[in-house]
């Protein structure tokens, strides 16, 4: 059984994390969990403005941001942190599954979200996952989220007039890369892409890497959002 006293091998990478939540008990609990699992919490913040300042100062690998905070909410904080610290990954914390805010956060470049009742093991695993450059949300879950919010009337709290949308030009992509992006948008894994396109999985990985580089995408979750917002994939598209 895992406990807060467990240790991690000294050679294992120790991600550096900033935690932002307006509830001190939440911050304290998360800090204890992460620290016990070999993850360094370099700063805590009680609102979004403090989170941006802390991230700019400490340049963490991962920022855990509550969506609803005073002074500046987590969504705006995520935008500013990702702009100021490009190498940082953002995980949004919410009390609601498929929260309207989460879609806007993914559009802004967040790598996923966690419910606040997340287990200790899942919290630590999530931080390590996004620290490797992967998305926390499975593509199929991201697709469900995007289909729900991408093309409907925007929730007033989730998208302001200046909220970013991807809408990137897909011209740099080859026809094959555009095809791969479309399949990513439908939630296919690399293995499924390989079967669909009759390619080796290593070739698929190369295509995916080139797509991310050309379009400056952080991870597969953002690729799904882009595929919908550019019209490459339409809501209701079958796998």
């Amino acid at each position: 059984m895992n406990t807060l006293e467990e240790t991690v091998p000294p050679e294992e990478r120790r991600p550096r994390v900033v935690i932002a939540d307006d509830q001190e008990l939440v911050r304290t609990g998360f800090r204890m969990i992460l620290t016990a699992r070999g993850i360094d919490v370099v700063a805590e913040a009680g609102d979004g403005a403090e989170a941006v300042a802390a991230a700019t100062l400490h340049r963490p690998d991962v920022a855990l941001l509550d969506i609803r905070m005073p002074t500046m909410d987590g969504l705006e904080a995520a935008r500013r942190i990702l702009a100021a610290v490009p190498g940082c990954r953002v995980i949004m914390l919410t009390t609601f599954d498929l929260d309207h805010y989460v879609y806007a956060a993914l559009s802004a470049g967040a790598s996923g979200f966690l419910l606040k009742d997340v287990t200790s093991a899942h919290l630590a695993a999530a931080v390590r996952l996004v620290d490797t450059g992967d998305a926390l949300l499975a593509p199929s879950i991201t697709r469900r989220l995007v289909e729900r919010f991408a093309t409907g009337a925007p929730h007033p709290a989730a998208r302001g007039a200046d909220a970013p949308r991807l809408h990137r030009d897909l011209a740099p992509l080859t026809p094959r890369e555009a095809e791969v992006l479309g399949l990513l948008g439908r939630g296919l894994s690399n293995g499924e892409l390989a079967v669909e396109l009759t390619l080796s999985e290593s070739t698929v990985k190369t295509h995916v890497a080139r797509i991310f580089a050309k379009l400056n995408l952080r991870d597969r979750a953002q690729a799904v959002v882009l595929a919908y917002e550019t019209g490459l994939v339409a809501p209701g598209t079958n796998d």
Side-chain angles (χ1 to χ4, degrees):
M1 177 182 296
N2 292 332
T3 68
L4 289 177
E5 287 73 34
E6 68 181 303
T7 58
V8 295
E11 67 275 9
E12 188 171 354
R13 173 179 166 82
R14 300 177 67 94
R16 302 172 68 255
V17 177
V18 166
I19 299 173
D21 193 289
D22 59 341
Q23 299 180 54
E24 184 178 0
L25 287 178
V26 172
R27 299 197 307 269
T28 300
F30 280 11
R31 173 172 48 78
M32 291 176 63
I33 290 167
L34 295 177
T35 300
R37 284 169 167 75
I39 296 171
D40 295 330
V41 177
V42 297
E44 297 179 27
D47 61 49
E50 291 180 3
V52 173
T56 302
L57 176 62
H58 296 282
R59 308 192 74 78
D61 301 301
V62 179
L64 286 172
L65 306 178
D66 185 18
I67 287 180
R68 295 177 175 84
M69 291 186 289
T71 309
M72 179 190 297
D73 65 23
L75 183 56
E76 180 61 26
R79 295 187 187 114
R80 297 191 185 193
I81 288 172
L82 292 170
V85 190
C88 183
R89 300 279 171 165
V90 169
I91 298 175
M92 306 303 298
L93 300 169
T94 178
T95 54
F96 302 103
D97 189 15
L98 292 183
D99 191 302
H100 290 80
Y101 286 86
V102 176
Y103 167 69
L106 292 176
S107 295
S111 294
F113 74 99
L114 290 172
L115 298 180
K116 283 192 177 182
D117 61 358
V118 61
T119 65
S120 300
H122 191 187
L123 174 64
V127 170
R128 292 191 181 280
L129 178 67
V130 300
D131 181 49
T132 67
D134 207 345
L136 179 57
L137 291 174
S140 60
I141 297 174
T142 309
R143 183 193 63 220
R144 179 164 60 98
L145 179 75
V146 172
E147 286 197 357
R148 182 168 176 179
F149 297 117
T151 58
H155 189 281
R159 185 180 298 285
D162 60 346
R165 293 179 70 89
L166 292 174
H167 284 310
R168 294 198 181 98
D169 183 5
L170 301 182
L173 301 185
T174 66
R176 174 64 92 181
E177 289 166 351
E179 184 179 14
V180 170
L181 179 58
L183 293 173
L184 283 175
R186 289 168 50 192
L188 273 65
S189 66
N190 282 350
E192 291 167 334
L193 281 166
V195 172
E196 178 78 14
L197 300 172
T198 319
L199 298 172
S200 69
E201 195 161 342
S202 62
T203 299
V204 168
K205 290 179 180 177
T206 298
H207 282 310
V208 172
R210 287 175 177 167
I211 291 167
F212 284 12
K214 287 181 178 181
L215 301 180
N216 195 28
L217 297 174
R218 292 174 176 270
D219 49 44
R220 296 173 82 95
Q222 200 174 22
V224 173
V225 175
L226 177 62
Y228 277 89
E229 293 202 340
T230 57
L232 193 61
V233 178
T237 301
N238 294 324
D239 290 344

